[in-house]
Amino acid sequence: MRIGLIGTGRIGTFHAETLIGLPAVKAVALHDAVGHQAYELAVKLGAEHVPDLDDLLGSGLDGVVIAAPTAAHADLVRAAAGAGVPVFCEKPIADSLAGTKALLAELDGTGVPLQVGFQRRFDAGYATLRDAVAAGELGWLHTVRACTADPAPPPAGYLPASGGIFRDCAVHDFDSVRWVTGREVVEVSATGSNRGDSCFTAAGDVDTAVTVLTLDDGTLVTCTATRYNGAGYDVRMEVAGSTGTLATGLDPHAPLRFTAGGPQPGSVSHDGFLSRFHDAYVAELTAFTEVAAGTRPSPCTGDDALAALLIAEAADRSCRTGRPVRVEEAGR
């Protein structure tokens, strides 16, 4: 199998290294708008370098991984689909709700599979939560608690084009909630604050946010997100039901301290998403090779990405207006 990769920044480099090591992948071809960057990585990894995008997409690829900047995603997905190449794209697939809807409408009926990069679906802990909920091991659900905490904020220049904390950061929790519970979000109430760098306020964003989701069966969900968690990268989820509670993320690398008498975590915390979800990323791209080969359907479709984005849109609107927002309203 020969896989193309577009975008050789931090996540693209990680994906390229992962693809090189997958048994199903015999060759990897790299492309980046910054040509020397892709060339240098190709030399380092023993991969191909294809300077021209059209040449890459027309070179008989079995699939393509898109890890370029967000603003380029929609056009790259469109070009790959036009060439009949199965696509894996990091979220978001477009830089706006309207753009996402338009792109999905264009892809509909093409028969070209699309897998969107929500890697928590491939994390063993999240999968265990999902299986327990589906098997009824926890009884009926009443509360879900989700947390995403970055150890340090992104560069100030990243913020204006990021889409904001709900679309860029908390959206992973929104997708995970849908996937783990098997339910849909119907209403969102969100608030946020800025106690850190003024660059967040200047970008019209917040550095810390809390979102309350109401699911279609009445289950209540809290999702917290912050850009300032100096203890380390912290991603967790707790699912509480009428007969039991199950959590993921409370491992020896969790950046927590407990009061006297409680178990103490390890001394080395995760420094970011690449270490926290390393195995999940490998499993995610392994799944994509199966999607590209036609042996399994996409495990995270464009419709899944749209559903998570709609929740993020509702959260952003709720935070700005100070009122609950129905998800169906956010889609209009």
Side-chain angles (χ1 to χ4, degrees):
M1 179 172 285
R2 182 168 175 269
I3 302 293
L5 183 139
I6 303 171
T8 53
R10 179 172 59 162
I11 189 64
T13 296
F14 180 83
H15 285 334
E17 293 169 346
T18 299
L19 288 167
I20 289 287
L22 296 182
V25 178
K26 304 306 179 186
V28 176
L30 306 181
H31 169 83
D32 196 294
V34 182
H36 71 85
Q37 185 170 283
Y39 172 76
E40 290 167 3
L41 182 61
V43 170
K44 176 183 176 182
L45 299 180
E48 302 174 39
H49 172 229
V50 183
D52 185 82
L53 178 63
D54 291 337
D55 287 346
L56 175 71
L57 295 177
S59 64
L61 296 175
D62 295 293
V64 65
V65 172
I66 296 173
T70 294
H73 284 188
D75 285 341
L76 291 172
V77 171
R78 191 175 290 113
V85 180
V87 185
F88 173 96
C89 184
E90 283 294 344
K91 68 85 185 166
I93 57 173
D95 58 5
S96 68
L97 177 60
T100 299
K101 289 182 174 180
L103 179 60
L104 292 180
E106 290 180 46
L107 296 180
D108 187 37
T110 64
V112 176
L114 169 66
Q115 180 180 335
V116 184
F118 282 98
Q119 83 282 356
R120 296 185 195 181
R121 291 177 174 232
F122 299 88
D123 177 76
Y126 280 84
T128 298
L129 291 182
R130 174 182 164 89
D131 291 344
V133 170
E137 294 177 13
L138 308 179
W140 49 267
L141 301 188
H142 52 75
T143 310
V144 178
R145 306 176 189 92
C147 153
T148 295
D150 290 333
Y158 172 82
L159 298 175
S162 72
I165 197 168
F166 299 108
R167 300 180 188 88
D168 179 57
C169 179
V171 70
H172 283 284
D173 287 310
F174 301 155
D175 177 71
S176 297
V177 166
R178 292 185 64 247
W179 188 71
V180 166
T181 66
R183 312 301 307 192
E184 297 296 339
V185 177
V186 295
E187 188 173 84
V188 179
S189 182
T191 188
S193 67
N194 280 321
R195 301 189 64 195
D197 196 289
S198 61
C199 64
F200 288 94
T201 302
D205 198 4
V206 295
D207 61 49
T208 301
V210 178
T211 309
V212 177
L213 312 176
T214 302
L215 305 189
D216 56 11
D217 64 349
T219 301
L220 299 178
V221 181
T222 58
C223 298
T224 62
T226 185
R227 302 294 195 177
Y228 287 95
N229 199 61
Y233 186 68
D234 191 10
V235 173
R236 289 175 277 124
M237 178 179 280
E238 302 170 23
V239 181
S242 59
T243 62
T245 299
L246 192 62
T248 187
L250 288 171
D251 58 39
H253 298 290
L256 301 171
R257 292 188 300 144
F258 299 110
T259 55
Q264 298 301 318
S267 59
V268 180
S269 301
H270 292 293
D271 60 0
F273 59 90
L274 291 180
S275 63
R276 168 66 174 83
F277 290 107
H278 176 277
D279 292 348
Y281 279 116
V282 174
E284 180 180 56
L285 287 186
T286 299
F288 176 61
T289 64
E290 297 166 357
V291 172
T295 59
R296 71 176 291 179
S298 173
C300 189
T301 66
D303 288 339
D304 289 322
L306 176 59
L309 177 59
L310 285 171
I311 300 167
E313 292 281 334
D316 185 76
R317 188 175 302 185
S318 174
C319 187
R320 294 180 188 281
T321 63
R323 64 175 178 83
V325 175
R326 303 282 293 183
V327 172
E328 61 185 4
E329 174 189 342
R332 295 198 291 267

